[in-house]
Amino acid sequence: MSRFLRTIVALVLGSAFLAVLSPAPQATATAARVLKYDASRAAEFRGVVDQAAQIWNSSVSNVQLVAGTPADFVVYADNGWPRAQPTSLGRGYVWMGRQATSQGHNPLRIATHEIGHILGLPDRRTGRCTDLMSGASAGTSCTNPNPNTAERAEVERNFAGWPVTPQVEFNKIYEDRALEPVR
């Protein structure tokens, strides 16, 4: 065998040997999408907005909420009912309405719920306290501010980086007014 042919065979066999011994390339983790929020106009609700952001940060991995400007979403305080207006995924406006807290609804649950709309979740008036997006339909005794497994998974899908259509409608104002009792 010629020297040239032996060299080629050695290179091919050596490459094959290294390929077998080398570990498979690891999938690279997708960096979390950072969303900035501005709670400077949230008045007495500023602290609970920061807590709600931390709840979302500990619940999902591919989106991270940080206080800062320029903001992707802005949180206001007013005397109306809490509401959110997502303008696109991760962007929009939240109003922490004092009317709900004066009626006994939990401010931290409200803040986490309204941010859920910004993250692509619609209202789901199930009445269950375990469902964050059931909102006021769970009643004033419900203080659970944590998204459930399905809600967390939906936010993860919304920010996974591949085309997905969030179930929230953009430019719609989501006002989660408590349902009136049927008479």
Side-chain angles (χ1 to χ4, degrees):
M1 199 189 270
S2 76
R3 184 174 193 185
F4 175 74
L5 192 54
R6 283 194 305 261
T7 303
I8 296 295
V9 169
L11 285 173
V12 169
L13 290 175
S15 296
F17 180 73
L18 287 176
V20 169
L21 292 180
S22 298
Q26 298 297 315
T28 56
T30 303
R33 179 167 163 199
V34 175
L35 298 178
K36 290 183 182 177
Y37 67 92
D38 178 359
S40 66
R41 292 167 254 186
E44 71 271 23
F45 300 111
R46 186 173 187 159
V48 296
V49 171
D50 291 336
Q51 285 179 283
Q54 290 310 308
I55 288 171
W56 279 111
N57 288 344
S58 66
S59 299
V60 295
S61 62
N62 58 6
V63 64
Q64 199 68 24
L65 306 177
V66 296
T69 56
D72 294 297
F73 66 96
V74 180
V75 184
Y76 301 94
D78 70 6
N79 293 326
W81 195 262
R83 59 204 180 278
Q85 182 181 21
T87 56
S88 63
L89 186 61
R91 296 183 175 275
Y93 307 93
V94 169
W95 291 268
M96 292 292 298
R98 294 179 181 100
Q99 187 176 357
T101 56
S102 70
Q103 292 178 13
H105 291 277
N106 181 272
L108 181 55
R109 180 175 169 85
I110 292 168
T112 312
H113 170 93
E114 298 304 339
I115 291 172
H117 291 309
I118 300 299
L119 300 178
L121 302 177
D123 284 320
R124 294 204 171 93
R125 306 182 196 286
T126 64
R128 293 190 301 258
C129 189
T130 55
D131 298 343
L132 177 65
M133 298 314 290
S134 71
S137 73
T140 56
S141 64
C142 178
T143 60
N144 172 33
N146 298 300
N148 65 29
T149 303
E151 293 162 337
R152 291 190 307 263
E154 188 172 346
V155 169
E156 295 284 19
R157 280 191 305 275
N158 289 344
F159 289 89
W162 40 274
V164 67
T165 303
Q167 292 188 20
V168 72
E169 291 180 46
F170 297 126
N171 296 310
K172 172 184 175 180
I173 294 180
Y174 282 84
E175 183 178 69
D176 187 32
R177 190 174 295 275
L179 301 174
E180 296 295 321
V182 178
R183 295 182 196 261

